């Protein structure tokens, strides 16, 4: 698989994990409390963003970024992907007859959820691929997720992505110069 497609698939799966946790939890809470569909969807979307951001922020903090620095990178990297997933997921769930009103013990709810999350993944993949190609999105967080250094990130995301991400590194000032340590080759 093309490295950028692989990175986009990983980014999409990562966002999908947080979205799915929040979505399912929100729908479970809304259904259990007998909330209206609109309130349940709002709760699910809010929790999807919360868990999506949390799953991206925690590894960055573990890699040494401060909370607010990590959060600002995650907001820039994941917002469009999560928003795309949430729109598609909720539209698909609303379009499947009975999925929202079936309750948690009815298989139509869970089948509908699987269909909706699959559709959300398919919709968000090209968004993540586009962002990665532009040096944005998951390309900004990739170096921190793997604890990789400056040079390793360039090898994974391409030189343009490296330049954009380097500008967001705390304490890094990039004035057009590039320091080559001689440990790697630029392609």
């Amino acid at each position: 698989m093309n490295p950028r497609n692989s990175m986009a698939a990983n980014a999409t799966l990562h966002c999908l994990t947080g979205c799915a946790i929040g979505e399912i939890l929100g729908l479970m809470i809304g259904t259990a409390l007998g909330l209206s569909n609109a309130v349940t969807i709002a709760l699910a979307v809010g929790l999807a963003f919360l868990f999506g951001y949390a799953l991206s922020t925690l590894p960055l903090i573990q890699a040494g970024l401060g909370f607010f620095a990590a959060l600002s990178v995650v907001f820039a990297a994941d917002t469009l992907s999560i928003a795309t997933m949430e729109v598609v997921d909720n539209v698909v769930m609303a379009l499947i007859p009975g999925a929202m009103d079936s309750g948690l013990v009815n298989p139509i709810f869970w089948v509908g959820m699987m269909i909706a999350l699959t559709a959300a993944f398919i919709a968000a993949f090209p968004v993540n691929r586009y962002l990665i190609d532009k040096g944005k999105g998951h390309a900004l967080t990739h170096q921190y997720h793997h604890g990789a250094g400056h040079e390793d990130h360039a090898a994974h995301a391409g030189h343009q992505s490296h330049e954009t991400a380097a500008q967001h590194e705390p304490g890094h000032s990039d004035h057009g110069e590039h320091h080559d340590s001689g440990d790697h080759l630029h392609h």
Side-chain angles (χ1 to χ4, degrees), residues 33-61:
L33 296 177
L35 303 175
S36 71
N37 283 350
V39 173
T40 298
I41 288 172
L43 177 62
V45 169
L47 289 174
F49 271 95
L50 176 71
F51 280 94
Y53 288 146
L55 287 181
S56 292
T57 302
L58 291 175
L60 296 179
I61 292 170

mmCIF file of all heavy atoms in Angstrom, residues 33-61:
data_model
loop_
_atom_site.group_PDB
_atom_site.id
_atom_site.type_symbol
_atom_site.label_atom_id
_atom_site.label_comp_id
_atom_site.label_asym_id
_atom_site.label_seq_id
_atom_site.Cartn_x
_atom_site.Cartn_y
_atom_site.Cartn_z
ATOM 1 N N LEU A 33 -31.963 6.969 28.705
ATOM 2 C CA LEU A 33 -32.675 8.050 29.391
ATOM 3 C C LEU A 33 -33.960 8.452 28.674
ATOM 4 O O LEU A 33 -34.687 9.330 29.152
ATOM 5 C CB LEU A 33 -31.767 9.272 29.546
ATOM 6 C CG LEU A 33 -30.537 9.089 30.425
ATOM 7 C CD1 LEU A 33 -29.687 10.356 30.437
ATOM 8 C CD2 LEU A 33 -30.938 8.696 31.851
ATOM 9 N N GLY A 34 -34.235 7.861 27.522
ATOM 10 C CA GLY A 34 -35.441 8.176 26.764
ATOM 11 C C GLY A 34 -35.414 9.568 26.157
ATOM 12 O O GLY A 34 -36.453 10.196 25.974
ATOM 13 N N LEU A 35 -34.213 10.063 25.816
ATOM 14 C CA LEU A 35 -34.083 11.384 25.213
ATOM 15 C C LEU A 35 -34.586 11.358 23.772
ATOM 16 O O LEU A 35 -34.610 10.314 23.124
ATOM 17 C CB LEU A 35 -32.621 11.836 25.252
ATOM 18 C CG LEU A 35 -31.958 11.893 26.630
ATOM 19 C CD1 LEU A 35 -30.480 12.240 26.495
ATOM 20 C CD2 LEU A 35 -32.676 12.890 27.528
ATOM 21 N N SER A 36 -34.948 12.516 23.261
ATOM 22 C CA SER A 36 -35.392 12.600 21.865
ATOM 23 C C SER A 36 -34.220 12.271 20.940
ATOM 24 O O SER A 36 -33.051 12.330 21.341
ATOM 25 C CB SER A 36 -35.909 14.012 21.560
ATOM 26 O OG SER A 36 -34.828 14.925 21.519
ATOM 27 N N ASN A 37 -34.535 11.945 19.680
ATOM 28 C CA ASN A 37 -33.481 11.641 18.707
ATOM 29 C C ASN A 37 -32.521 12.812 18.532
ATOM 30 O O ASN A 37 -31.311 12.620 18.449
ATOM 31 C CB ASN A 37 -34.082 11.247 17.357
ATOM 32 C CG ASN A 37 -34.622 9.842 17.354
ATOM 33 O OD1 ASN A 37 -34.398 9.065 18.281
ATOM 34 N ND2 ASN A 37 -35.367 9.511 16.308
ATOM 35 N N ALA A 38 -33.043 14.034 18.491
ATOM 36 C CA ALA A 38 -32.191 15.215 18.286
ATOM 37 C C ALA A 38 -31.215 15.387 19.453
ATOM 38 O O ALA A 38 -30.021 15.637 19.241
ATOM 39 C CB ALA A 38 -33.048 16.460 18.110
ATOM 40 N N VAL A 39 -31.698 15.236 20.680
ATOM 41 C CA VAL A 39 -30.836 15.384 21.851
ATOM 42 C C VAL A 39 -29.837 14.226 21.906
ATOM 43 O O VAL A 39 -28.657 14.422 22.222
ATOM 44 C CB VAL A 39 -31.681 15.467 23.147
ATOM 45 C CG1 VAL A 39 -30.798 15.442 24.382
ATOM 46 C CG2 VAL A 39 -32.549 16.716 23.128
ATOM 47 N N THR A 40 -30.294 13.031 21.588
ATOM 48 C CA THR A 40 -29.411 11.859 21.589
ATOM 49 C C THR A 40 -28.301 12.022 20.559
ATOM 50 O O THR A 40 -27.124 11.745 20.853
ATOM 51 C CB THR A 40 -30.219 10.570 21.301
ATOM 52 O OG1 THR A 40 -31.182 10.408 22.340
ATOM 53 C CG2 THR A 40 -29.332 9.349 21.246
ATOM 54 N N ILE A 41 -28.636 12.500 19.375
ATOM 55 C CA ILE A 41 -27.625 12.718 18.336
ATOM 56 C C ILE A 41 -26.647 13.811 18.774
ATOM 57 O O ILE A 41 -25.437 13.667 18.607
ATOM 58 C CB ILE A 41 -28.286 13.057 16.984
ATOM 59 C CG1 ILE A 41 -28.937 11.802 16.409
ATOM 60 C CG2 ILE A 41 -27.272 13.636 15.998
ATOM 61 C CD1 ILE A 41 -29.774 12.037 15.169
ATOM 62 N N ALA A 42 -27.149 14.886 19.362
ATOM 63 C CA ALA A 42 -26.263 15.959 19.842
ATOM 64 C C ALA A 42 -25.302 15.426 20.903
ATOM 65 O O ALA A 42 -24.105 15.735 20.879
ATOM 66 C CB ALA A 42 -27.089 17.117 20.393
ATOM 67 N N LEU A 43 -25.806 14.612 21.816
ATOM 68 C CA LEU A 43 -24.970 14.015 22.847
ATOM 69 C C LEU A 43 -23.923 13.092 22.216
ATOM 70 O O LEU A 43 -22.740 13.140 22.564
ATOM 71 C CB LEU A 43 -25.835 13.231 23.843
ATOM 72 C CG LEU A 43 -25.101 12.482 24.953
ATOM 73 C CD1 LEU A 43 -24.338 13.457 25.851
ATOM 74 C CD2 LEU A 43 -26.097 11.655 25.772
ATOM 75 N N ALA A 44 -24.349 12.280 21.265
ATOM 76 C CA ALA A 44 -23.435 11.349 20.596
ATOM 77 C C ALA A 44 -22.345 12.096 19.828
ATOM 78 O O ALA A 44 -21.171 11.713 19.878
ATOM 79 C CB ALA A 44 -24.214 10.432 19.657
ATOM 80 N N VAL A 45 -22.709 13.161 19.145
ATOM 81 C CA VAL A 45 -21.731 13.951 18.395
ATOM 82 C C VAL A 45 -20.746 14.612 19.356
ATOM 83 O O VAL A 45 -19.527 14.595 19.133
ATOM 84 C CB VAL A 45 -22.431 15.003 17.504
ATOM 85 C CG1 VAL A 45 -21.438 16.000 16.939
ATOM 86 C CG2 VAL A 45 -23.185 14.313 16.370
ATOM 87 N N GLY A 46 -21.244 15.196 20.419
ATOM 88 C CA GLY A 46 -20.366 15.824 21.404
ATOM 89 C C GLY A 46 -19.379 14.827 21.997
ATOM 90 O O GLY A 46 -18.178 15.110 22.107
ATOM 91 N N LEU A 47 -19.867 13.649 22.355
ATOM 92 C CA LEU A 47 -18.987 12.622 22.913
ATOM 93 C C LEU A 47 -18.023 12.071 21.858
ATOM 94 O O LEU A 47 -16.884 11.730 22.181
ATOM 95 C CB LEU A 47 -19.805 11.496 23.544
ATOM 96 C CG LEU A 47 -20.531 11.866 24.841
ATOM 97 C CD1 LEU A 47 -21.437 10.723 25.296
ATOM 98 C CD2 LEU A 47 -19.541 12.249 25.930
ATOM 99 N N ALA A 48 -18.458 12.011 20.615
ATOM 100 C CA ALA A 48 -17.568 11.543 19.539
ATOM 101 C C ALA A 48 -16.383 12.497 19.385
ATOM 102 O O ALA A 48 -15.233 12.060 19.262
ATOM 103 C CB ALA A 48 -18.335 11.419 18.224
ATOM 104 N N PHE A 49 -16.653 13.794 19.397
ATOM 105 C CA PHE A 49 -15.552 14.769 19.333
ATOM 106 C C PHE A 49 -14.664 14.652 20.566
ATOM 107 O O PHE A 49 -13.438 14.661 20.458
ATOM 108 C CB PHE A 49 -16.096 16.197 19.194
ATOM 109 C CG PHE A 49 -16.312 16.620 17.773
ATOM 110 C CD1 PHE A 49 -17.552 16.486 17.176
ATOM 111 C CD2 PHE A 49 -15.273 17.153 17.017
ATOM 112 C CE1 PHE A 49 -17.760 16.871 15.855
ATOM 113 C CE2 PHE A 49 -15.460 17.539 15.696
ATOM 114 C CZ PHE A 49 -16.708 17.391 15.119
ATOM 115 N N LEU A 50 -15.272 14.540 21.739
ATOM 116 C CA LEU A 50 -14.504 14.441 22.977
ATOM 117 C C LEU A 50 -13.561 13.229 22.947
ATOM 118 O O LEU A 50 -12.361 13.362 23.200
ATOM 119 C CB LEU A 50 -15.451 14.338 24.182
ATOM 120 C CG LEU A 50 -14.766 14.144 25.533
ATOM 121 C CD1 LEU A 50 -14.046 15.418 25.954
ATOM 122 C CD2 LEU A 50 -15.793 13.745 26.591
ATOM 123 N N PHE A 51 -14.089 12.064 22.612
ATOM 124 C CA PHE A 51 -13.262 10.865 22.584
ATOM 125 C C PHE A 51 -12.279 10.883 21.414
ATOM 126 O O PHE A 51 -11.148 10.415 21.538
ATOM 127 C CB PHE A 51 -14.130 9.598 22.544
ATOM 128 C CG PHE A 51 -14.658 9.210 23.884
ATOM 129 C CD1 PHE A 51 -15.915 9.621 24.294
ATOM 130 C CD2 PHE A 51 -13.895 8.442 24.753
ATOM 131 C CE1 PHE A 51 -16.412 9.282 25.543
ATOM 132 C CE2 PHE A 51 -14.380 8.098 26.005
ATOM 133 C CZ PHE A 51 -15.643 8.513 26.406
ATOM 134 N N GLY A 52 -12.698 11.431 20.276
ATOM 135 C CA GLY A 52 -11.786 11.549 19.139
ATOM 136 C C GLY A 52 -10.584 12.414 19.472
ATOM 137 O O GLY A 52 -9.435 12.043 19.222
ATOM 138 N N TYR A 53 -10.844 13.571 20.081
ATOM 139 C CA TYR A 53 -9.746 14.449 20.488
ATOM 140 C C TYR A 53 -8.905 13.815 21.589
ATOM 141 O O TYR A 53 -7.679 13.910 21.577
ATOM 142 C CB TYR A 53 -10.287 15.800 20.976
ATOM 143 C CG TYR A 53 -10.830 16.706 19.889
ATOM 144 C CD1 TYR A 53 -11.913 17.534 20.141
ATOM 145 C CD2 TYR A 53 -10.256 16.754 18.623
ATOM 146 C CE1 TYR A 53 -12.416 18.386 19.170
ATOM 147 C CE2 TYR A 53 -10.751 17.596 17.643
ATOM 148 C CZ TYR A 53 -11.831 18.414 17.919
ATOM 149 O OH TYR A 53 -12.321 19.255 16.952
ATOM 150 N N ALA A 54 -9.556 13.167 22.554
ATOM 151 C CA ALA A 54 -8.828 12.560 23.672
ATOM 152 C C ALA A 54 -7.870 11.471 23.186
ATOM 153 O O ALA A 54 -6.720 11.400 23.629
ATOM 154 C CB ALA A 54 -9.805 11.992 24.698
ATOM 155 N N LEU A 55 -8.341 10.635 22.270
ATOM 156 C CA LEU A 55 -7.486 9.549 21.770
ATOM 157 C C LEU A 55 -6.289 10.073 20.990
ATOM 158 O O LEU A 55 -5.272 9.393 20.883
ATOM 159 C CB LEU A 55 -8.287 8.572 20.905
ATOM 160 C CG LEU A 55 -9.249 7.660 21.653
ATOM 161 C CD1 LEU A 55 -9.967 6.735 20.672
ATOM 162 C CD2 LEU A 55 -8.546 6.845 22.723
ATOM 163 N N SER A 56 -6.398 11.264 20.439
ATOM 164 C CA SER A 56 -5.268 11.862 19.731
ATOM 165 C C SER A 56 -4.379 12.680 20.657
ATOM 166 O O SER A 56 -3.172 12.772 20.439
ATOM 167 C CB SER A 56 -5.766 12.761 18.594
ATOM 168 O OG SER A 56 -6.373 11.999 17.586
ATOM 169 N N THR A 57 -4.972 13.272 21.680
ATOM 170 C CA THR A 57 -4.218 14.145 22.582
ATOM 171 C C THR A 57 -3.338 13.358 23.543
ATOM 172 O O THR A 57 -2.181 13.720 23.770
ATOM 173 C CB THR A 57 -5.181 15.052 23.377
ATOM 174 O OG1 THR A 57 -5.951 15.820 22.451
ATOM 175 C CG2 THR A 57 -4.434 15.989 24.299
ATOM 176 N N LEU A 58 -3.851 12.276 24.100
ATOM 177 C CA LEU A 58 -3.099 11.516 25.106
ATOM 178 C C LEU A 58 -1.739 11.037 24.616
ATOM 179 O O LEU A 58 -0.746 11.209 25.324
ATOM 180 C CB LEU A 58 -3.944 10.356 25.631
ATOM 181 C CG LEU A 58 -5.150 10.768 26.482
ATOM 182 C CD1 LEU A 58 -5.987 9.556 26.860
ATOM 183 C CD2 LEU A 58 -4.727 11.545 27.708
ATOM 184 N N PRO A 59 -1.635 10.458 23.413
ATOM 185 C CA PRO A 59 -0.299 10.041 22.959
ATOM 186 C C PRO A 59 0.668 11.211 22.774
ATOM 187 O O PRO A 59 1.865 11.064 22.984
ATOM 188 C CB PRO A 59 -0.561 9.346 21.617
ATOM 189 C CG PRO A 59 -1.991 8.981 21.627
ATOM 190 C CD PRO A 59 -2.668 10.012 22.483
ATOM 191 N N LEU A 60 0.156 12.365 22.396
ATOM 192 C CA LEU A 60 1.018 13.534 22.227
ATOM 193 C C LEU A 60 1.542 14.017 23.574
ATOM 194 O O LEU A 60 2.698 14.423 23.691
ATOM 195 C CB LEU A 60 0.273 14.654 21.509
ATOM 196 C CG LEU A 60 -0.169 14.366 20.077
ATOM 197 C CD1 LEU A 60 -0.906 15.559 19.495
ATOM 198 C CD2 LEU A 60 0.996 13.974 19.207
ATOM 199 N N ILE A 61 0.687 13.968 24.577
ATOM 200 C CA ILE A 61 1.129 14.343 25.924
ATOM 201 C C ILE A 61 2.170 13.341 26.420
ATOM 202 O O ILE A 61 3.194 13.721 26.984
ATOM 203 C CB ILE A 61 -0.080 14.431 26.887
ATOM 204 C CG1 ILE A 61 -0.958 15.615 26.500
ATOM 205 C CG2 ILE A 61 0.380 14.540 28.337
ATOM 206 C CD1 ILE A 61 -2.290 15.671 27.223
#
